[in-house]
Amino acid sequence: MDQEQTQYAALRERVKELTCLYSLAQLAQRPGMALEEILQQGVELLPPAWQYPEVTAGRIALDGRCYATANFKAAGQMQSAAIVVNGQRRGSIDVVYAEPKPELDEGPFLKEERNLIEAMARHIALLVERRQAEEDRFHLQEQLRHADRLATIGQLAAGVAHELNEPLGNILGFAQLAQKQPDLPPQVARDLEKIVATSLYARQIINNLMLLSRQIPPQKTPVGLNAVLEQGLEFLESRCARNGIAVVRQLSPDLPEIIADASQLRQVFVNLVVNAIHAMPGGGTLKVTTARCGDGVLLSVEDDGMGMSEEVLRDIFVPFFTTKDVSEGTGLGLPVVHGIVTSHGGTIQVQSAPGQGARFDVRLPAAADEHTKEDKTDDILC
Ligand code: ADP
């Protein structure tokens, strides 16, 4: 090959390389184009940029997914480059020749082709990085919007709860006073009973609202979890029995004490059990378990009721989310549970599927932990 021919060949390779990179950059800039589409169209740019386009096939592998030209087979003479995003290998670009070609700089490939495949891999890595940053920014904005919404709901809820608390206290107090009157006609006695029961239900809602908006600061003292649960079960067991629900308790005798607000913990337990009762309208089994869990304690509340779909599971901790009728649910129970558990430095996990029941696992740090690791929610893993 004379000098002119060599220069011409080098120039042709350079033009092919630039065309390939330019086309990839163009693809990446198309508005609204998904990464998958870019990679699928991007892989088609590979064959024309190599020396023997008619026998060249390409593949881009990223995060376990492959985008390949129609004739790609992972065999024969191959040139590859890793796609490395933020120091992590996430995939590769591979170019193969379908039939053997004579040896050149790197197997049958030119050193310019090595440069090109590396440049393509870097471009794709940058693209993935940029898309990830955009996604992260979007999620962050969503979270901020969500937090804003919650703060507004919280303020509103706190105001309403505060205003209603006093008149409701009066209704309850006067109804209970009236109940003490001797010789009440039976119908009046029954009506008063209904007023008291409804007021208690309304007070429970207000209590949840005030807890949700952190109107009631926690009074933390050393607490035995089992004792709190026993108290809660005392008045929940009769309700379970009325609904045909058998209560099975497996309370570990050697639990460490925790530093917690006992009445808030009781609220956590009551809210979980009331949900379990609602989930088993035809009766069933409620299992309450406690166990030592690393340095902390574990409380599991499990039912074999109707369970939850993935869509429901996604929203259960969102205030006012409910699948129940107006008279049955307010959508405050689980957000309150979540608020209390996290303010005690704990975590809550849920396992459920439609028709398969539900299990709520609450993990709380032990007393000694609370002083040293305030509000570190991820420390208890078991
Ligand atoms: P509410 O009980 O007032 O609806 P929660 O915040 O306590 O509010 O619960 C939200 C939703 O989560 C419920 O409406 C229900 O759909 C679902 N849920 C909670 N616990 C259970 C459970 N143990 N089994 C099935 N679904 C449940």
Side-chain angles (χ1 to χ4, degrees):
M1 217 191 278
D2 65 18
Q3 200 187 354
E4 199 178 321
Q5 268 180 324
T6 317
Q7 278 176 349
Y8 177 72
L11 188 63
R12 200 183 52 207
E13 286 309 314
R14 186 78 187 126
V15 168
K16 284 202 299 191
E17 184 185 326
L18 289 176
T19 309
C20 181
L21 289 173
Y22 176 75
S23 306
L24 182 67
Q26 291 279 88
L27 275 179
Q29 273 172 9
R30 279 202 210 150
M33 195 144 168
L35 183 63
E36 290 77 18
E37 255 179 289
I38 297 176
L39 297 181
Q40 190 54 62
Q41 293 192 27
V43 78
E44 302 293 344
L45 301 172
L46 296 172
W50 261 253
Q51 268 203 99
Y52 311 103
E54 58 303 332
V55 296
T56 305
R59 175 179 67 182
I60 300 173
L62 183 73
D63 295 337
R65 293 188 65 175
C66 286
Y67 311 85
T69 53
N71 54 345
F72 184 85
K73 277 197 195 76
Q77 293 168 314
M78 184 183 294
Q79 193 174 38
S80 299
I83 299 175
V84 179
V85 182
N86 293 327
Q88 237 192 337
R89 187 193 160 104
R90 300 269 293 268
S92 64
I93 302 185
D94 309 296
V95 170
V96 288
Y97 284 160
E99 54 188 63
K101 293 291 172 192
E103 293 286 308
L104 285 168
D105 302 331
E106 179 189 323
F109 302 103
L110 295 166
K111 67 178 184 315
E112 285 82 1
E113 288 165 344
R114 161 59 45 202
N115 291 342
L116 175 58
I117 197 168
E118 302 257 330
M120 286 287 277
R122 274 197 305 277
H123 256 69
I124 290 174
L126 273 176
L127 189 63
V128 173
E129 227 171 273
R130 213 171 49 222
R131 290 282 162 127
Q132 231 163 28
E134 275 167 20
E135 252 173 52
D136 289 350
R137 203 174 54 233
F138 177 76
H139 282 309
L140 198 64
Q141 277 169 347
E142 272 292 290
Q143 278 172 343
L144 281 177
R145 266 198 292 273
H146 185 63
D148 262 0
R149 254 195 331 261
L150 287 192
T152 314
I153 291 173
Q155 276 169 3
L156 186 75
V160 173
H162 196 74
E163 291 298 318
L164 287 182
N165 209 19
E166 204 184 306
L168 186 67
N170 287 340
I171 295 172
L172 187 60
F174 284 117
Q176 284 170 331
L177 258 185
Q179 276 183 318
K180 294 206 171 94
Q181 293 294 319
D183 306 324
L184 284 175
Q187 182 59 47
V188 175
R190 277 199 298 276
D191 290 348
L192 282 173
E193 221 171 87
K194 278 187 201 142
I195 294 174
V196 170
T198 317
S199 309
L200 284 173
Y201 176 58
R203 201 168 66 175
Q204 180 68 27
I205 296 175
I206 285 183
N207 206 27
N208 272 337
L209 277 174
M210 289 173 61
L211 278 169
L212 187 70
S213 52
R214 309 267 155 87
Q215 292 288 295
I216 311 172
Q219 311 278 326
K220 294 186 181 176
T221 53
V223 174
L225 178 63
N226 286 344
V228 172
L229 303 184
E230 293 285 3
Q231 284 166 4
L233 277 173
E234 237 168 67
F235 79 97
L236 285 167
E237 260 183 332
S238 60
R239 189 163 164 192
C240 286
R242 275 201 307 280
N243 287 279
I245 295 168
V247 180
V248 176
R249 14 173 137 196
Q250 288 177 343
L251 307 185
S252 164
D254 71 335
L255 289 186
E257 273 195 330
I258 52 177
I259 298 282
D261 182 317
S263 78
Q264 292 196 359
L265 275 194
R266 203 164 32 246
Q267 188 76 47
V268 165
F269 183 57
V270 169
N271 288 4
L272 292 178
V273 173
V274 167
N275 276 341
I277 295 173
H278 283 156
M280 299 183 285
T285 304
L286 169 74
K287 202 159 135 192
V288 180
T289 312
T290 57
R292 189 180 265 274
C293 164
D295 291 336
V297 295
L298 165 74
L299 159 66
S300 292
V301 176
E302 189 175 352
D303 65 67
D304 54 5
M306 60 180 72
M308 286 168 268
S309 65
E310 265 179 42
E311 292 80 59
V312 170
L313 271 172
R314 210 178 38 227
D315 287 335
I316 53 174
F317 294 115
V318 175
F320 303 106
F321 170 82
T322 183
T323 57
K324 299 175 188 171
D325 285 345
V326 181
S327 57
E328 264 215 321
T330 53
L332 291 174
L334 289 179
V336 164
V337 166
H338 186 265
I340 294 174
V341 170
T342 49
S343 75
H344 282 77
T347 59
I348 179 161
Q349 283 175 340
V350 194
Q351 277 181 29
S352 184
Q356 308 276 305
R359 195 176 94 210
F360 288 80
D361 288 334
V362 173
R363 290 176 173 84
L364 294 164
D369 273 28
E370 182 80 356
H371 298 301
T372 50
K373 307 181 197 164
E374 281 251 313
D375 276 359
K376 277 199 175 176
T377 46
D378 297 332
D379 274 358
I380 347 165
L381 296 170
C382 57

